[in-house]
Amino acid sequence: AQKVTQAQTEISVVEKEDVTLDCVYETRDTTYYLFWYKQPPSGELVFLIRRNSFDEQNEISGRYSWNFQKSTSSFNFTITASQVVDSAVYFCALRGDSGGSNYKLTFGKGTLLTVNP
Amino acid sequence: EAGVAQSPRYKIIEKRQSVAFWCNPISGHATLYWYQQILGQGPKLLIQFQNNGVVDDSQLPKDRFSAERLKGVDSTLKIQPAKLEDSAMYLCASRGGWDRGRPYEQYFGPGTRLTVT
């Protein structure tokens, strides 16, 4: 069975602060993919990043960075110098890489990030 | 390239009424998914189609929910009769082919927000 835990239900920061969103996962698959999605108030899920289980290199994209640590089953997401437009719900998701899982996504419950001006 | 289209965007009905949602996936995408997202939770997969065949409907409440994808393109999700607990966002996603033995990403539509009163 697959499980994704986002322990932070809500985070509130002031603009320009850095903020880290935590994600812990469980899977029995030896290979798998991890994702982060952003869901603004409009409702559409916006894909941010995908990482596979055999690549633990951290990734940076502009103000966004991701820290993948297989040893602790964590895939944390950091926004540097947060902006009001970053306010949204952020979901971490897991996809097993065995055909038996039908490659379906398992989502965490999400973290509501509010960036105040 | 056009994204995943869904309609309507919003729907308000009374309990015991029927409702239908429509999804048009990205052109050429063989796999189509319907998710239910209850407020404060992550999306939960209801049903997965591969072309016009059902791959996984293990979490679809079959006594009241039905879905079809007759020609392997558009899909319709129906609820009959609706209950208060069906109030949620219904998301459609589609996925294209394969890249070196691994599936491509899922792309999500804007969703239909259903309120049952």
Side-chain angles (χ1 to χ4, degrees):
Chain A
Q2 298 180 144
K3 185 178 179 182
V4 175
T5 301
Q6 295 180 254
Q8 305 148 309
T9 305
E10 294 187 37
I11 299 176
S12 183
V13 299
V14 176
E15 206 169 17
K16 297 183 184 176
E17 285 185 11
D18 298 347
V19 58
T20 295
L21 310 180
D22 298 334
C23 173
V24 174
Y25 63 91
E26 296 175 28
T27 180
R28 292 179 182 172
D29 286 350
T30 52
T31 58
Y32 49 88
Y33 286 83
L34 295 161
F35 302 80
W36 277 95
Y37 284 87
K38 176 181 179 179
Q39 188 174 45
S42 60
E44 185 169 353
L45 280 168
V46 178
F47 167 77
L48 295 178
I49 190 172
R50 174 192 66 181
R51 301 296 288 177
N52 61 51
S53 54
F54 40 89
D55 182 0
E56 289 192 65
Q57 267 193 325
N58 291 332
E59 183 158 340
I60 298 175
S61 176
R63 297 184 298 107
Y64 295 170
S65 63
W66 291 269
N67 182 280
F68 175 31
Q69 293 197 336
K70 212 168 177 179
S71 60
T72 56
S73 298
S74 65
F75 185 45
N76 297 337
F77 172 31
T78 297
I79 302 175
T80 302
S82 60
Q83 300 176 0
V84 173
V85 294
D86 296 328
S87 296
V89 181
Y90 290 86
F91 290 97
C92 181
L94 167 70
R95 186 183 79 200
D97 208 34
S98 66
S101 70
N102 289 321
Y103 306 104
K104 67 181 180 184
L105 284 173
T106 299
F107 286 85
K109 291 189 174 182
T111 298
L112 172 62
L113 174 65
T114 302
V115 182
N116 299 297
Chain B
E1 180 182 78
V4 177
Q6 289 187 248
S7 67
R9 293 295 308 277
Y10 305 91
K11 190 74 177 179
I12 301 174
I13 61 173
E14 295 181 353
K15 60 184 180 185
R16 291 187 287 274
Q17 285 187 326
S18 302
V19 65
F21 312 128
W22 173 82
C23 172
N24 180 240
I26 293 173
S27 178
H29 280 196
T31 309
L32 185 147
Y33 307 82
W34 283 103
Y35 289 86
Q36 180 193 58
Q37 185 183 10
I38 293 172
L39 188 65
Q41 298 183 21
K44 181 187 81 171
L45 179 69
L46 291 176
I47 188 167
Q48 176 183 345
F49 290 95
Q50 181 72 19
N51 296 309
N52 60 349
V54 175
V55 173
D56 183 351
D57 63 356
S58 56
Q59 298 196 84
L60 187 74
K62 298 180 186 64
D63 58 333
R64 297 182 302 104
F65 286 64
S66 64
E68 60 184 15
R69 194 184 183 200
L70 291 175
K71 295 182 179 179
V73 182
D74 294 6
S75 177
T76 303
L77 176 70
K78 295 179 182 176
I79 307 176
Q80 180 180 11
K83 292 185 176 182
L84 296 176
E85 58 260 37
D86 297 332
S87 294
M89 175 79 88
Y90 290 85
L91 293 160
C92 179
S94 71
R95 177 170 64 76
W98 299 77
D99 175 27
R100 288 166 287 183
R102 291 188 165 79
Y104 285 118
E105 312 313 323
Q106 291 184 30
Y107 294 90
F108 286 82
T112 297
R113 196 177 297 275
L114 173 67
T115 302
V116 182
T117 63

